[in-house]
Amino acid sequence: MALYRALIRKEFLLLSRDPHGLLLLFVMPAVFVLIMTFALQNQYAMNKETRLDFFLVNQDGGSLSAAFARELGAASPFNRVSAEAPEQTLRQRARADEVMFLVLVQPDFESNLADRGQAVRLLIAPGTSPVFAGIAEGRVTELLNRFYLQYRMAFLPGISAGALDTSSSMVASESLFDDSGMLPSSVQHNVPAWLLFAMFFIAVPLSTTLIHERQQGTLMRLQTMGVSRARVLAGKVVPYLLVNLMQVLVLFLIGLYLIPLLGGDKLTLGNHSTGLVLVSVAASLAAVCYALFIAQITATVEQATIVAAVCNIIMAAIGGVMVPRFLMPETMRQLGDFSPMAWGLEGFFDILLRNGTVVDVLPETGGLVSFAALMLVLTFVFSPRSASA
Amino acid sequence: MVTIEPLSYQYSSRSAPVLDGISLTVADGALFGLLGPNGAGKTTLLSMLTGLLPCQPGTIFVDGQDVAMPGARIAAGLALVPQDYAFYLPLTVGENLRFFAGVQGISKAKIAERVDHCARLTGIQDRLQERAGRLSGGLKRRLNLAIGLLTEPRLLLLDEPTVGIDPHSRHFILETIRDLNQQGTTVIYTSHYMEEVEELCDRVAIMDHGRLLREGPLPELLSAGEGSLENLFLNLTHRQLRD
């Protein structure tokens, strides 16, 4: 026990004197979480403050097109930005992403509407996401359909304008997260995603210490003192597991307190904290054993840093850390199934997004623990042969 | 007493053995110099003594115990001071000493006493709070030695302990080794500095290409007519450059 106490204390001392390692493990993910949470806030929170700004040029001048323009400006989530300028100027401004799109109400609006012809043109700004462009197109089409029905049915006796309302009030949407009706926000995605990314970066400080020990002869000296290589590695697992769990704590606290303080959504932890702990420990185990493997297969700190960074970025990219997997095509999603970061992320999502239970996270934790075991076996397979101390 | 019975070792990557049938005896209380040019097999021999490499074939007995047996090297009170600064540069001198004491099973109550004793013995008692990485070369060598002394070893293996340091530190380290030997510690000392070995050791072995070329009491080797240990060494190892 005294041996492990000494080894663990040594690791903590070494890490506490490694400012770059601390920066990588704690500051980098915190900054990523803050930036990405606020940057993607609207992508996830369509029910809240999303505003689709647009310019409108009415090339018709009739009363029906004026009514259409008025209603479009008042419809949620549209926001007509007033601008008295020629069409070309507004096109330029839309191209510069001043608004999300430009609505051109075509001449002869009424006859185009009656003939189901092209009554409106929608010019999408280059920076507008396809999701918002789709929403805009859908809502404009819906409004045009209503105008068409009103135009056609107005001649029929006994049908009021209200009966022709095709608005979305006929549909009620609810979150399946829990009974509170709360919708998941970008913080629910970004905190676990960047947390996992940072957890796997434990490979950099861990391999740095192990390679220094190897290069400086400290590992050899420890072996002559009766401390086997396996014990040295075991002495690294516990402190770095604890460091990973400290990362979990710090990033969750940021999601719970700092992000709401800065005006973002609060992280909701779900109702099954045991599942959260299980995923955190399994992901941490996978990250630490992966770090041991990286340290084993590389000869210098420079090699280890590059290999760890490249592997982490690839695992993060295909695992849904950088781009949510639901936005990926099927092939990329299948590729992501090979990334332990994807398993960890799904585990966290089971609890944070789907309000799942411990049973729901068992497949992901099982995958992470198996990955950890595989990395550990490979670490010993690649370990240099020497007599036991 | 250290008894090495025909000992050989061959790395799989090399065609010739690094050690080729070495037999040697080091008596208790000896200050034994092990000399040889680069690639002679000195470090391999020390690695086998400390159990880092297996004997293939051959046997090493320390105080009658085969060092290949589990725990035998610890029981034999054997410690190695390697040529490298084999400690943690970001840690302080005190933290390094406490760490190496802790991993060697020295009890918590005794750690402070041993750290203090070894620091005084090597003249680094005023540097306990300093980061090891900021020490001069001489102080690093003394810390390296101090770590090796933590368990009060009965057999101390020193692998070129004075490489790259100033004359004052070298003198201090040599004096410390002499004192330790006079207190009963058996020392096996490897060095490239002939004058150090000549000044310090009572018995010397010269080896090259994995073989023992000459071994005996220092006065006996010097009386053979070569004049100095350096001449004897150069004559035996044929003077050609090795690196």
Side-chain angles (χ1 to χ4, degrees), chain B residues 143-158:
Chain B
L143 172 59
N144 218 19
L145 177 61
I147 292 167
L149 302 178
L150 284 165
T151 51
E152 301 178 73
R154 295 194 300 281
L155 173 60
L156 189 60
L157 310 178
L158 298 164

PDB file of all heavy atoms in Angstrom, chain B residues 143-158:
ATOM      1  N   LEU B 143      22.670  13.781  -5.647  1.00  0.00           N
ATOM      2  CA  LEU B 143      21.296  13.304  -5.386  1.00  0.00           C
ATOM      3  C   LEU B 143      21.141  11.869  -5.897  1.00  0.00           C
ATOM      4  O   LEU B 143      20.530  11.020  -5.229  1.00  0.00           O
ATOM      5  CB  LEU B 143      20.282  14.235  -6.074  1.00  0.00           C
ATOM      6  CG  LEU B 143      18.823  13.765  -6.064  1.00  0.00           C
ATOM      7  CD1 LEU B 143      18.312  13.565  -4.638  1.00  0.00           C
ATOM      8  CD2 LEU B 143      17.918  14.772  -6.784  1.00  0.00           C
ATOM      9  N   ASN B 144      21.721  11.602  -7.061  1.00  0.00           N
ATOM     10  CA  ASN B 144      21.659  10.254  -7.636  1.00  0.00           C
ATOM     11  C   ASN B 144      22.261   9.238  -6.661  1.00  0.00           C
ATOM     12  O   ASN B 144      21.715   8.153  -6.458  1.00  0.00           O
ATOM     13  CB  ASN B 144      22.443  10.244  -8.955  1.00  0.00           C
ATOM     14  CG  ASN B 144      21.802   9.401 -10.025  1.00  0.00           C
ATOM     15  OD1 ASN B 144      20.612   9.085  -9.946  1.00  0.00           O
ATOM     16  ND2 ASN B 144      22.565   9.025 -11.028  1.00  0.00           N
ATOM     17  N   LEU B 145      23.386   9.636  -6.042  1.00  0.00           N
ATOM     18  CA  LEU B 145      24.056   8.753  -5.081  1.00  0.00           C
ATOM     19  C   LEU B 145      23.204   8.615  -3.812  1.00  0.00           C
ATOM     20  O   LEU B 145      23.031   7.509  -3.293  1.00  0.00           O
ATOM     21  CB  LEU B 145      25.443   9.330  -4.758  1.00  0.00           C
ATOM     22  CG  LEU B 145      26.277   8.586  -3.713  1.00  0.00           C
ATOM     23  CD1 LEU B 145      26.579   7.155  -4.164  1.00  0.00           C
ATOM     24  CD2 LEU B 145      27.602   9.322  -3.464  1.00  0.00           C
ATOM     25  N   ALA B 146      22.664   9.763  -3.354  1.00  0.00           N
ATOM     26  CA  ALA B 146      21.868   9.743  -2.116  1.00  0.00           C
ATOM     27  C   ALA B 146      20.685   8.778  -2.241  1.00  0.00           C
ATOM     28  O   ALA B 146      20.373   8.037  -1.298  1.00  0.00           O
ATOM     29  CB  ALA B 146      21.364  11.149  -1.819  1.00  0.00           C
ATOM     30  N   ILE B 147      20.038   8.760  -3.403  1.00  0.00           N
ATOM     31  CA  ILE B 147      18.892   7.854  -3.622  1.00  0.00           C
ATOM     32  C   ILE B 147      19.354   6.401  -3.473  1.00  0.00           C
ATOM     33  O   ILE B 147      18.668   5.568  -2.886  1.00  0.00           O
ATOM     34  CB  ILE B 147      18.249   8.113  -5.004  1.00  0.00           C
ATOM     35  CG1 ILE B 147      17.586   9.487  -5.015  1.00  0.00           C
ATOM     36  CG2 ILE B 147      17.221   7.037  -5.341  1.00  0.00           C
ATOM     37  CD1 ILE B 147      17.183   9.977  -6.399  1.00  0.00           C
ATOM     38  N   GLY B 148      20.558   6.130  -3.986  1.00  0.00           N
ATOM     39  CA  GLY B 148      21.090   4.766  -3.894  1.00  0.00           C
ATOM     40  C   GLY B 148      21.424   4.343  -2.479  1.00  0.00           C
ATOM     41  O   GLY B 148      21.528   3.149  -2.199  1.00  0.00           O
ATOM     42  N   LEU B 149      21.564   5.308  -1.590  1.00  0.00           N
ATOM     43  CA  LEU B 149      21.978   4.972  -0.215  1.00  0.00           C
ATOM     44  C   LEU B 149      20.809   4.846   0.755  1.00  0.00           C
ATOM     45  O   LEU B 149      21.001   4.485   1.916  1.00  0.00           O
ATOM     46  CB  LEU B 149      22.942   6.055   0.305  1.00  0.00           C
ATOM     47  CG  LEU B 149      24.220   6.269  -0.527  1.00  0.00           C
ATOM     48  CD1 LEU B 149      25.058   7.390   0.062  1.00  0.00           C
ATOM     49  CD2 LEU B 149      25.029   4.981  -0.605  1.00  0.00           C
ATOM     50  N   LEU B 150      19.593   5.129   0.272  1.00  0.00           N
ATOM     51  CA  LEU B 150      18.438   5.198   1.166  1.00  0.00           C
ATOM     52  C   LEU B 150      18.193   3.914   1.959  1.00  0.00           C
ATOM     53  O   LEU B 150      17.772   3.962   3.113  1.00  0.00           O
ATOM     54  CB  LEU B 150      17.171   5.545   0.357  1.00  0.00           C
ATOM     55  CG  LEU B 150      17.054   7.012  -0.068  1.00  0.00           C
ATOM     56  CD1 LEU B 150      15.992   7.173  -1.146  1.00  0.00           C
ATOM     57  CD2 LEU B 150      16.719   7.884   1.141  1.00  0.00           C
ATOM     58  N   THR B 151      18.467   2.768   1.333  1.00  0.00           N
ATOM     59  CA  THR B 151      18.164   1.498   2.016  1.00  0.00           C
ATOM     60  C   THR B 151      19.374   0.927   2.763  1.00  0.00           C
ATOM     61  O   THR B 151      19.353  -0.244   3.143  1.00  0.00           O
ATOM     62  CB  THR B 151      17.685   0.441   0.986  1.00  0.00           C
ATOM     63  OG1 THR B 151      18.646   0.402  -0.078  1.00  0.00           O
ATOM     64  CG2 THR B 151      16.322   0.768   0.426  1.00  0.00           C
ATOM     65  N   GLU B 152      20.384   1.745   2.976  1.00  0.00           N
ATOM     66  CA  GLU B 152      21.624   1.300   3.631  1.00  0.00           C
ATOM     67  C   GLU B 152      22.151   0.035   2.958  1.00  0.00           C
ATOM     68  O   GLU B 152      22.253  -1.020   3.595  1.00  0.00           O
ATOM     69  CB  GLU B 152      21.381   1.025   5.122  1.00  0.00           C
ATOM     70  CG  GLU B 152      20.869   2.232   5.885  1.00  0.00           C
ATOM     71  CD  GLU B 152      20.604   1.901   7.339  1.00  0.00           C
ATOM     72  OE1 GLU B 152      21.570   1.742   8.089  1.00  0.00           O
ATOM     73  OE2 GLU B 152      19.432   1.776   7.698  1.00  0.00           O
ATOM     74  N   PRO B 153      22.483   0.106   1.670  1.00  0.00           N
ATOM     75  CA  PRO B 153      22.853  -1.121   0.942  1.00  0.00           C
ATOM     76  C   PRO B 153      24.171  -1.715   1.447  1.00  0.00           C
ATOM     77  O   PRO B 153      25.077  -0.986   1.846  1.00  0.00           O
ATOM     78  CB  PRO B 153      23.011  -0.639  -0.494  1.00  0.00           C
ATOM     79  CG  PRO B 153      23.317   0.804  -0.391  1.00  0.00           C
ATOM     80  CD  PRO B 153      22.579   1.298   0.808  1.00  0.00           C
ATOM     81  N   ARG B 154      24.218  -3.048   1.381  1.00  0.00           N
ATOM     82  CA  ARG B 154      25.476  -3.730   1.741  1.00  0.00           C
ATOM     83  C   ARG B 154      26.346  -3.879   0.495  1.00  0.00           C
ATOM     84  O   ARG B 154      27.542  -4.037   0.586  1.00  0.00           O
ATOM     85  CB  ARG B 154      25.165  -5.110   2.333  1.00  0.00           C
ATOM     86  CG  ARG B 154      24.410  -5.023   3.659  1.00  0.00           C
ATOM     87  CD  ARG B 154      24.412  -6.337   4.388  1.00  0.00           C
ATOM     88  NE  ARG B 154      23.782  -7.415   3.619  1.00  0.00           N
ATOM     89  CZ  ARG B 154      22.460  -7.580   3.510  1.00  0.00           C
ATOM     90  NH1 ARG B 154      21.642  -6.741   4.114  1.00  0.00           N
ATOM     91  NH2 ARG B 154      21.965  -8.575   2.805  1.00  0.00           N
ATOM     92  N   LEU B 155      25.674  -3.866  -0.680  1.00  0.00           N
ATOM     93  CA  LEU B 155      26.411  -3.949  -1.938  1.00  0.00           C
ATOM     94  C   LEU B 155      25.952  -2.804  -2.830  1.00  0.00           C
ATOM     95  O   LEU B 155      24.778  -2.715  -3.208  1.00  0.00           O
ATOM     96  CB  LEU B 155      26.125  -5.300  -2.619  1.00  0.00           C
ATOM     97  CG  LEU B 155      26.684  -5.476  -4.030  1.00  0.00           C
ATOM     98  CD1 LEU B 155      28.204  -5.339  -4.054  1.00  0.00           C
ATOM     99  CD2 LEU B 155      26.294  -6.833  -4.605  1.00  0.00           C
ATOM    100  N   LEU B 156      26.876  -1.903  -3.150  1.00  0.00           N
ATOM    101  CA  LEU B 156      26.547  -0.712  -3.930  1.00  0.00           C
ATOM    102  C   LEU B 156      27.205  -0.809  -5.304  1.00  0.00           C
ATOM    103  O   LEU B 156      28.422  -0.968  -5.409  1.00  0.00           O
ATOM    104  CB  LEU B 156      27.075   0.520  -3.175  1.00  0.00           C
ATOM    105  CG  LEU B 156      26.661   1.892  -3.680  1.00  0.00           C
ATOM    106  CD1 LEU B 156      25.155   2.083  -3.661  1.00  0.00           C
ATOM    107  CD2 LEU B 156      27.318   2.985  -2.820  1.00  0.00           C
ATOM    108  N   LEU B 157      26.373  -0.710  -6.348  1.00  0.00           N
ATOM    109  CA  LEU B 157      26.896  -0.753  -7.721  1.00  0.00           C
ATOM    110  C   LEU B 157      26.884   0.675  -8.265  1.00  0.00           C
ATOM    111  O   LEU B 157      25.814   1.288  -8.355  1.00  0.00           O
ATOM    112  CB  LEU B 157      26.008  -1.647  -8.600  1.00  0.00           C
ATOM    113  CG  LEU B 157      25.679  -3.039  -8.050  1.00  0.00           C
ATOM    114  CD1 LEU B 157      24.749  -3.775  -9.011  1.00  0.00           C
ATOM    115  CD2 LEU B 157      26.948  -3.852  -7.850  1.00  0.00           C
ATOM    116  N   LEU B 158      28.053   1.171  -8.607  1.00  0.00           N
ATOM    117  CA  LEU B 158      28.144   2.559  -9.083  1.00  0.00           C
ATOM    118  C   LEU B 158      28.562   2.558 -10.544  1.00  0.00           C
ATOM    119  O   LEU B 158      29.655   2.101 -10.875  1.00  0.00           O
ATOM    120  CB  LEU B 158      29.168   3.326  -8.245  1.00  0.00           C
ATOM    121  CG  LEU B 158      28.854   3.456  -6.748  1.00  0.00           C
ATOM    122  CD1 LEU B 158      30.089   3.867  -5.969  1.00  0.00           C
ATOM    123  CD2 LEU B 158      27.748   4.472  -6.532  1.00  0.00           C
TER     124      LEU B 158
END
